[in-house]
């Protein structure tokens, strides 16, 4: 088969494959939901663990005003923490790159703090900053800060030797090399870290609300959990899962747009 024929055949099969894959995935999801609905209707009782999806949707619709308000509160806390965490991480990564002697110690300290679960830091931050918006945003900031710092710093430090040598040949200096060569080289890792940091900030804000809050999706989840209100618990879980999934998908899309040259974009296209 000639190259053109092969290419034509490949291009011809792609829409069919994508459509078939989408149909198979939709069929699997529909089958799982139908099985869940039937099982939930047959086995569900007040306090039961697995209410049917129709009941969960009913709870979401009946309490849509309260869920919307709580979701906006958590999204606002997560957004503030995410923006602050990303900005702080970028600045600190550049400082560590410029001052490697200081940067090594700060980087190791960051890795040590990164290993501490957010759920362990949240009570201390809430006790320090109070029960209001600031403490939730601070916890979200920490959750967003470390993935960006570790990924961006690692990418800058692992810049290909040929890229560094090109900067030396062109005599660009640190700022020029960073702007024109090393930051574009590190951009895929930075974009990938945002895909992790955004959902992490949202989940961290919910965890901080568990410690103390007067509103938020995390607080709604906590009330439902301790009240054994399983439909309300599942409703909060469905909302939080949908938001974190949307955040990951949105930043994945941004990464594909911002780094069209990266291998992950081609891999994603092939999978689609």
């Amino acid at each position: 088969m000639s190259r053109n024929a092969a290419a034509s055949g490949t291009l011809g099969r792609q829409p069919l494959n994508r459509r078939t894959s989408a149909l198979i995935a939709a069929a699997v999801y529909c089958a799982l939901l139908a099985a869940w609905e039937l099982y939930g209707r047959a086995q569900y009782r007040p306090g039961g663990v697995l209410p049917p999806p129709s009941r969960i949707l009913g709870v979401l619709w009946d309490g849509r005003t309260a869920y919307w308000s709580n979701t906006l509160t958590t999204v606002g806390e997560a957004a503030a923490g995410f923006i602050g965490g990303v900005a702080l991480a970028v600045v600190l990564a550049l400082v560590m790159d410029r001052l490697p002697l200081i940067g090594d110690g700060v980087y190791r300290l960051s890795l040590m703090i990164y290993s501490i679960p957010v759920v362990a830091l949240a009570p201390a931050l809430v006790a320090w900053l109070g029960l209001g918006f600031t403490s939730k945003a601070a916890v979200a900031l920490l959750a967003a800060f470390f993935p960006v710092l570790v990924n961006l710093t690692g990418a800058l430090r692992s810049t290909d030797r040929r890229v560094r040598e090109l900067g030396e040949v062109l005599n660009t200096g640190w700022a020029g090399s960073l702007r024109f060569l090393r930051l574009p080289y590190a951009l895929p890792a930075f974009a990938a870290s945002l895909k992790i940091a955004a959902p992490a900030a949202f989940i961290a804000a919910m965890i901080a609300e568990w410690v103390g809050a007067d509103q938020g999706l995390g607080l709604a989840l906590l009330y439902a959990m301790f009240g054994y209100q399983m439909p309300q618990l599942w409703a909060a879980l469905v909302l939080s899962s949908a938001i974190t999934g949307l955040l990951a998908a949105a930043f994945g899309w941004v990464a594909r747009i911002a780094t069209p040259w990266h291998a992950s974009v081609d891999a994603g296209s092939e999978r689609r």
Side-chain angles (χ1 to χ4, degrees):
M1 182 182 292
S2 68
R3 180 176 299 180
N4 291 337
S8 176
T10 301
L11 291 174
R13 287 195 299 273
Q14 275 185 347
L16 180 61
N17 290 337
R18 291 171 57 185
R19 194 178 303 116
T20 303
S21 299
L23 288 174
I24 291 174
V28 170
Y29 292 144
C30 289
L32 288 175
L33 280 175
W36 183 0
E37 178 72 23
L38 291 175
Y39 178 82
R41 285 175 180 251
Q43 301 294 327
Y44 181 70
R45 64 187 187 286
V49 176
L50 203 62
S54 58
R55 184 172 177 81
I56 297 170
L57 291 177
V59 167
L60 279 172
W61 177 254
D62 293 340
R64 56 189 180 279
T65 303
Y67 280 116
W68 175 251
S69 176
N70 285 322
T71 300
L72 284 183
T73 299
T74 307
V75 167
E77 296 162 352
F82 173 76
I83 294 171
V86 171
L88 186 61
V90 170
V91 171
L92 191 56
L94 295 180
V95 170
M96 290 195 300
D97 184 72
R98 182 60 175 151
L99 305 171
L101 291 179
I102 300 174
D104 286 341
V106 175
Y107 186 63
R108 292 192 184 94
L109 178 63
S110 300
L111 290 178
M112 290 174 60
I113 298 176
Y114 186 37
S115 65
I116 302 174
V118 173
V119 70
L121 292 173
L125 287 172
V126 172
W128 179 30
L129 299 172
L131 299 178
F133 178 90
T134 306
S135 59
K136 316 304 179 299
V139 176
L141 183 150
L142 281 179
F145 169 76
F146 288 111
V148 177
L149 178 70
V150 171
N151 278 275
L152 183 56
T153 303
L156 288 174
R157 291 187 171 192
S158 62
T159 303
D160 193 292
R161 179 173 54 83
R162 292 168 295 183
V163 175
R164 292 180 180 273
E165 290 175 352
L166 179 61
E168 294 173 0
V169 170
L170 297 176
N171 194 25
T172 55
W174 178 82
S177 174
L178 183 69
R179 177 181 176 185
F180 297 111
L181 298 174
R182 298 178 62 217
L183 277 181
Y185 185 85
L187 188 57
F190 174 69
S193 70
L194 297 181
K195 190 177 174 181
I196 300 171
F202 184 79
I203 294 170
M206 289 183 63
I207 292 174
E209 289 169 353
W210 294 358
V211 180
D214 55 8
Q215 195 175 22
L217 196 57
L219 186 64
L221 183 68
L222 193 68
Y223 279 149
M225 184 169 59
F226 283 107
Y228 293 98
Q229 299 171 333
M230 291 303 160
Q232 286 77 5
L233 177 64
W234 276 101
L237 287 175
V238 167
L239 270 180
S240 61
S241 299
I243 293 170
T244 52
L246 284 174
L247 288 172
F251 281 98
W253 177 78
V254 170
R256 288 194 296 274
I257 298 298
T259 59
W261 66 87
H262 195 251
S264 61
V265 175
D266 293 335
S269 301
E270 289 173 2
R271 285 195 297 272
R272 290 193 300 275

